[in-house]
Amino acid sequence: MVLVRHHYQLSGSSILSTAIAIIGTGYVGLTTGACLAHLGHKVVCADIDPEKIAKLQSGVIPIIELGLTELVNEGMSAGRLSFVVGSVEAAKSCDIAFLCVPTPQGEDGSADLSYVQQAAEEIAAVLPFEAIVVNKSTVPVGSTKVVERALKRPDVKVVSNPEFLREGSAVQDFLKPDRVVVGSDDQAAAMKVASLYDGLSTRVIITDPASAETIKYAANAFLATKLSFVNAVAAICEGVGADINDVVVGMGSDKRIGENFLRPGPGWGGSCFPKDSRALIKIAEDANYSFDLLKGVITVNDQQFERVVQKVVQAVGGETTEKTIAVWGLTFKAGTDDLRDSPSIEIIKRLLALGSKVQAFDPTVTNSKPGVPEQLNLSLSPIEVTVGADVLLVLTEWDDFKWISPTTIATTMNGKQIVDARNLLNRKDWEQVGFTYQGIGR
Ligand code: UDX
């Protein structure tokens, strides 16, 4: 049963302020806490990392999220947002506790719920009578029961309220959502969680927990499918001499397809799609269904990394050993500093394995950090990184790269080859100064 309500923009004064605990202050927890404080609620955010909490208390935000610093400072100065070490400290005086802890991919592809269970067990002892626990992290279907068992508190209802936040635009995605999804078998608990979002003008979908959890996985899997589809069509365009940019406009003009989320690239990555798509395949298997379509989506994505590598091999005439490759972009997409499951890192690893020398620039990666291969030379300038390179490879669509003069790069590089895996640059400008340009699907 779905109950769809439409919330309309309400003035702050009519908000019933609720005491909220946020367990886990990653990009989901921090964004959720700061935005709920902005909506008028009283929020205490907890993390196990004292250093992180100390930074947050001094207004230092450890991630790049547009608008988040302002909201954190607004919440703290209004006395509606605070940070503590340890989940117990936050949960002991809350009406609603949000679980925003990591749900990493386990060995067999399933989501590892150990952090969720641990957090639930910790707060079970101190949660006020009839408090509500909300699963905000992406958790497999049936996880509300896992949390109920961990809590051992029949008075505490567990509600699914999946996040649909894209990294880099998480604040906007929270405050201007396409929809809010609430899953619970207890109508009163569902309505109480739904009412937290009263300040937003959006569609609120109230359903059962399994449907709410399935909505999250299905949405991400469909988005990944859309991307693998357009990358596959781009490969065909290369074979038939079509231009993917025109094909995307032609396809996307059909409202049932839409032009959004249809940009070809080096493949999709990040902290969600790779993990969630494999988790959904495992969930399907456990439900006696073999999700072959989604397996194909993942296969196409792996092949896309290889197609980009082969374009570089072709650009150096088939011999990569000892060749120098300059790379623009390390993060999994522009607007974030996240390297988790970044296609750029995967492609660089394959090029290093082929004996190439790789030097890279990314505006958010100024020194070697977890996830950057040791053999990779990091540069602090998009111009300097091209010095002596045989090929320039564009892997992340940072705006910085669009405005760099091809004439300048023609003087710094050793070769005149460019592989633009994001179709970011103006092909004609680079060809005019003698570059051989390879894009994706054009
Ligand atoms: C995603 C979902 O969008 C979000 O709803 C969910 O809550 C978390 O996972 P995120 O992983 O932050 O968000 O990034 P997203 O903007 O969705 O991009 C995912 C990948 O697809 C990136 O590697 C990006 O470069 C790629 N992408 C995106 C394309 O290749 N082409 C596009 O047109 C859009």
Side-chain angles (χ1 to χ4, degrees), residues 4-302:
V4 179
R5 290 172 32 176
H6 280 272
H7 279 184
Y8 298 96
Q9 192 70 29
L10 299 171
S11 64
S13 58
S14 56
I15 298 289
L16 177 66
S17 177
T18 303
I20 291 167
I22 301 285
I23 315 299
T25 57
Y27 92 95
V28 173
L30 199 49
T31 303
T32 300
C35 289
L36 286 174
H38 176 66
L39 292 180
H41 304 294
K42 191 146 172 52
V43 182
V44 181
C45 298
D47 202 285
I48 51 171
D49 179 348
E51 251 177 65
K52 191 176 200 180
I53 290 296
K55 277 194 189 138
L56 289 168
Q57 281 167 331
S58 56
V60 174
I61 311 299
I63 51 174
I64 293 180
E65 278 301 342
L66 208 55
L68 187 55
T69 304
E70 293 79 356
L71 283 184
V72 167
N73 291 328
E74 173 200 86
M76 286 206 285
S77 51
R80 289 200 302 265
L81 181 65
S82 59
F83 299 95
V84 295
V85 179
S87 58
V88 165
E89 196 49 37
K92 67 186 182 185
S93 53
C94 75
D95 300 316
I96 299 179
F98 279 79
L99 299 182
C100 304
V101 293
T103 52
Q105 184 179 323
E107 285 306 307
D108 61 356
S110 64
D112 170 0
L113 288 181
S114 55
Y115 297 99
V116 169
Q117 278 169 307
Q118 185 187 333
E121 284 157 10
E122 273 173 18
I123 63 177
V126 298
L127 275 174
F129 181 63
E130 292 188 336
I132 292 171
V133 168
V134 175
N135 274 347
K136 179 55 91 173
S137 306
T138 305
V139 289
V141 183
S143 296
T144 45
K145 296 210 177 353
V146 170
V147 174
E148 279 163 5
R149 280 197 296 275
L151 285 169
K152 299 189 181 64
R153 284 278 303 268
D155 62 305
V156 171
K157 301 298 176 205
V158 180
V159 175
S160 165
N161 175 222
E163 54 89 5
F164 298 100
L165 308 177
R166 289 167 298 168
E167 287 196 37
S169 55
V171 169
Q172 181 196 325
D173 290 346
F174 191 103
L175 296 177
K176 293 192 177 61
D178 292 335
R179 72 325 203 163
V180 168
V181 172
V182 178
S184 173
D185 293 324
D186 181 291
Q187 195 70 350
M191 300 308 261
K192 185 149 175 57
V193 172
S195 68
L196 294 178
Y197 297 90
D198 276 352
L200 301 180
S201 170
T202 183
R203 163 183 278 198
V204 177
I205 296 162
I206 296 175
T207 181
D208 62 275
S211 302
E213 289 152 353
T214 304
I215 287 168
K216 167 69 190 184
Y217 279 106
N220 267 6
F222 184 79
L223 290 167
T225 302
K226 202 172 176 183
L227 294 180
S228 281
F229 187 86
V230 78
N231 285 334
V233 170
I236 297 166
C237 287
E238 288 169 14
V240 300
D243 185 321
I244 188 65
N245 288 345
D246 295 0
V247 170
V248 159
V249 169
M251 280 174 66
S253 299
D254 181 324
K255 286 187 195 58
R256 294 167 301 172
I257 298 173
E259 283 186 48
N260 283 340
F261 227 78
L262 211 51
R263 289 190 318 276
W268 40 264
S271 65
C272 296
F273 281 6
K275 170 175 76 71
D276 293 354
S277 50
R278 285 180 177 76
L280 184 52
I281 286 171
K282 182 73 173 64
I283 290 167
E285 245 162 57
D286 296 346
N288 301 319
Y289 177 72
S290 173
F291 203 156
D292 298 341
L293 176 63
L294 190 52
K295 287 175 188 169
V297 166
I298 293 171
T299 302
V300 165
N301 201 50
D302 289 341

